[in-house]
């Protein structure tokens, strides 16, 4: 039972949770999949439709819409001081293949709701406020993930961008009409990201929202295993150089290594490519894609060393050649403590419990935190489920979080702290 049901905000909220919810559901209809989720892989036609809808909404809200070299979209609401740095708020519209309706989308549309609400209230701010849609946060179609936000902060080697199905990132931007201005630069005061927790903590604490202290580090690797294509019927097992069997032995051995290193080390193989992918051919090539996460880079360094030894041992025993490459490295981040305090103060002013917690999931805020003061607010996820069509957050929780976000953003944009600090 939600402990805040008995306490109602003492004043009229600035934002409209019903309007935000309606926009969430309208956006969810683009790329809708069975089970109530959405599939909008970055730079696909579904992503284009979502971008078009977001751009229309932003223009209707009086924003100028700007696109940068990486396809990041910025809806900018002017402030009184046109040269003042921008208060930036947003997240991503791209999804996982079996994505939910809230991961990323909530942060973009809550940012839009903040702008809509300021328009309704006739509030003019000193600083401009911009809502952003970052490109390819999920990293499904192109590696690395966090592509747009990494590009924005200058932490991306564009030449290293890889299309997982061979697509070309910049050609796809061109194809969907979102090849932006390579010279676009924004002067950002600070960045807020509202996101679903994607984990169980807030539900366990019976809290609607939580202030995020930091995000664990994330590294992606590819292990490319070369064996030998062979006939399934005529080749004795002992005579094979079977890349898939080697991959299987590696996967189990590496998982055991991860468990032995640290119970908090998150080791995942979510993508495997087997070639030639034919039932009656012993596969000559298998590629494993690893997602590794921990708050301590030294633990991930230790795993990397162990992985090299395990690959050497298994390759010898399975008569294959294997190479490993690192596809992404997102350092652990700590968010701005003053901005965390603002979020907590805004929650307090609404008489809402807002515990502090760590993020197991990665976010574009990890990129922004390297260049500007950054903070995140989480909304409770039912059963902690995400990257799954069953992802769900309560409308009341979403409305509360959006109101807190609006108050925090406004406190920067008009240059004053909320009460109760
Ligand atoms: O992978 C993540 O943690 C994020 O949800 N894309
Ligand atoms: Mn996300
Ligand atoms: Mn995600």
């Amino acid at each position: 039972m939600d402990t805040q049901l008995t306490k109602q905000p003492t004043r009229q909220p600035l934002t409209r949770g019903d309007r935000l919810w309606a926009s969430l559901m309208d956006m969810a209809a683009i790329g809708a999949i069975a089970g109530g989720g959405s599939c909008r892989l970055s730079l696909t036609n579904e992503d284009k439709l979502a971008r078009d809808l977001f751009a229309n909404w932003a223009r209707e809200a009086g924003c100028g819409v700007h696109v940068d070299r990486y396809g990041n979209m910025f809806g900018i609401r002017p402030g009184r001081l046109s040269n003042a740095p921008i208060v930036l708020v947003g997240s991503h519209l791209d999804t996982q293949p079996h994505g939910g309706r809230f991961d990323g989308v909530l942060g973009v549309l809550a940012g839009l709701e903040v702008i809509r609400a300021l328009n309704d209230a006739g509030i003019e701010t000193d600083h401009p406020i911009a809502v952003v849609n970052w490109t390819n946060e999920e990293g499904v179609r192109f590696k690395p993930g966090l592509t747009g936000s990494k590009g924005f902060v200058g932490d991306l080697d564009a030449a290293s961008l890889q299309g997982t199905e061979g697509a070309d990132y910049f050609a796809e931007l061109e194809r969907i009409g979102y090849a932006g201005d390579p010279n676009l630069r924004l002067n950002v005061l600070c960045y807020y990201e509202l996101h679903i927790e994607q984990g169980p903590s807030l539900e366990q604490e019976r809290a609607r929202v939580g202030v995020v202290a930091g995000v664990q580090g994330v590294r992606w690797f590819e292990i490319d295993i070369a064996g030998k294509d062979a006939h399934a019927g005529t080749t004795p097992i002992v005579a094979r150089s079977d890349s898939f069997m080697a991959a299987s032995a590696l996967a189990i051995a590496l998982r055991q290594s991860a468990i032995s290193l640290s119970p908090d080390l998150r080791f995942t193989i979510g993508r495997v490519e087997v070639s030639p992918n034919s039932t009656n051919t012993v596969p000559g090539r298998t590629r494993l894609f690893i997602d590794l996460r921990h708050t301590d880079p030294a633990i991930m360094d230790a795993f990397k060393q162990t992985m090299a030894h395990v690959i050497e041992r298994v390759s010898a025993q399975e008569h294959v050649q294997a190479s490993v490459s690192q596809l992404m490295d997102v350092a652990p981040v700590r968010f701005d403590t003053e901005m965390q305090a603002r979020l907590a103060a805004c929650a307090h002013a609404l008489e809402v419990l807002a515990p502090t917690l760590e993020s197991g999931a990665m976010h574009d805020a990890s990129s922004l935190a390297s260049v500007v003061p950054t903070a995140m607010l989480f909304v409770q996820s039912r059963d902690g489920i995400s990257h799954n069509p069953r992802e769900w957050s309560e409308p009341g929780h979403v409305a509360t979080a959006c109101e807190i976000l609006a108050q925090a953003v406004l406190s920067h944009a008009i240059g004053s702290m909320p009460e109760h600090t």
Side-chain angles (χ1 to χ4, degrees):
M1 202 271 279
D2 177 345
T3 49
Q4 277 104 36
L5 278 184
T6 50
K7 294 182 176 167
Q8 295 305 321
T10 49
R11 51 175 163 66
Q12 266 308 315
L14 193 61
T15 53
R16 282 186 43 201
D18 62 323
R19 178 169 55 190
L20 169 55
W21 191 263
S23 296
L24 278 167
M25 294 306 115
D26 287 346
M27 185 61 77
I30 300 176
I33 56 174
S38 303
C39 175
R40 292 191 302 274
L41 303 189
S42 51
L43 309 187
T44 57
N45 295 337
E46 291 79 15
D47 187 25
K48 171 185 172 42
L49 291 173
R51 287 165 167 265
D52 293 348
L53 181 59
F54 169 59
N56 290 341
W57 281 340
R59 290 190 186 98
E60 284 166 7
C63 296
V65 176
H66 305 267
V67 181
D68 74 2
R69 176 182 179 217
Y70 295 98
N72 298 316
M73 301 173 69
F74 303 91
I76 304 178
R77 182 184 195 257
R80 263 191 290 270
L81 309 174
S82 57
N83 295 328
I86 291 170
V87 179
L88 189 61
V89 56
S91 190
H92 61 92
L93 292 175
D94 69 304
T95 73
Q96 285 284 325
H98 294 174
R101 288 172 275 191
F102 302 92
D103 176 358
V105 188
L106 173 60
V108 178
L109 299 185
L112 181 66
E113 175 53 32
V114 170
I115 289 174
R116 286 167 166 170
L118 294 176
N119 293 343
D120 291 348
I123 295 175
E124 198 186 5
T125 57
D126 297 331
H127 293 263
I129 296 172
V131 53
V132 58
N133 164 36
W134 300 113
T135 305
N136 195 47
E137 186 277 344
E138 295 288 1
V140 177
R141 266 193 94 205
F142 303 95
K143 308 216 175 300
L146 307 187
T147 310
S149 58
K150 275 176 164 283
F152 180 78
V153 302
D155 179 29
L156 180 76
D157 169 12
S160 70
L161 264 174
Q162 283 181 30
T164 47
E165 308 292 343
D168 177 281
Y169 184 90
F170 295 101
E172 283 294 274
L173 276 175
E174 200 75 49
R175 183 182 69 82
I176 66 167
Y178 281 91
D181 174 358
N183 301 311
L184 179 67
R185 298 288 181 275
L186 299 187
N187 177 13
V188 176
L189 178 70
C190 60
Y191 174 67
Y192 280 101
E193 181 163 353
L194 171 56
H195 205 285
I196 52 172
E197 180 199 342
Q198 301 178 290
S201 306
L202 292 178
E203 189 174 54
Q204 287 163 357
E205 294 202 48
R206 294 194 297 168
R208 292 178 169 217
V209 300
V211 176
V212 188
V215 186
Q216 64 181 341
V218 190
R219 293 184 191 173
W220 284 356
F221 301 94
E222 174 188 345
I223 302 180
D224 195 342
I225 304 155
K228 197 167 67 181
D229 288 358
H231 194 295
T234 57
T235 317
I237 288 181
V238 291
R240 295 177 179 187
S241 174
D242 185 332
S243 67
F244 175 75
M245 291 302 170
S248 308
L250 269 176
I252 299 301
L254 290 174
R255 183 179 62 173
Q256 190 48 51
S257 304
I259 293 167
S260 310
L261 256 174
S262 161
D264 299 322
L265 187 56
R266 304 275 160 85
F267 170 84
T268 309
I269 298 177
R271 180 187 184 104
V272 179
E273 289 180 7
V274 182
S275 168
N277 215 20
S278 160
T279 305
N280 48 355
T281 297
V282 175
R285 184 184 186 194
T286 299
R287 300 162 75 195
L288 294 177
F289 294 88
I290 294 169
D291 178 302
L292 188 75
R293 307 202 188 193
H294 199 277
T295 50
D296 182 355
I299 295 284
M300 292 195 282
D301 292 343
F303 177 85
K304 206 170 164 181
Q305 282 177 3
T306 307
M307 177 162 63
H309 299 313
V310 171
I311 289 173
E312 193 178 340
R313 174 172 55 81
V314 171
S315 300
Q317 127 199 349
E318 295 293 332
H319 314 297
V320 297
Q321 303 292 320
S323 62
V324 58
S325 51
Q326 184 164 293
L327 302 178
M328 182 173 80
D329 183 355
V330 181
V333 291
R334 312 308 299 156
F335 290 133
D336 184 88
T337 48
E338 191 277 328
M339 290 171 71
Q340 288 183 53
R342 274 192 203 222
L343 286 170
C346 294
H348 184 85
L350 292 171
E351 300 179 348
V352 169
L353 173 72
T356 299
L357 73 165
E358 297 292 333
S359 175
M362 77 177 176
H363 300 287
D364 291 304
S366 294
S367 302
L368 273 288
S370 64
V371 293
V372 293
T374 296
M376 288 191 79
L377 183 68
F378 273 173
V379 188
Q380 187 188 112
S381 291
R382 182 180 63 189
D383 301 333
I385 286 175
S386 183
H387 287 192
N388 180 314
R390 289 187 50 241
E391 192 179 270
W392 179 262
S393 289
E394 290 299 326
H397 299 182
V398 164
T400 299
C402 186
E403 182 64 15
I404 293 167
L405 177 74
Q407 296 300 334
V409 165
L410 191 54
S411 75
H412 290 272
I414 52 173
S416 69
M417 282 294 284
E419 304 109 61
H420 302 290
T421 44

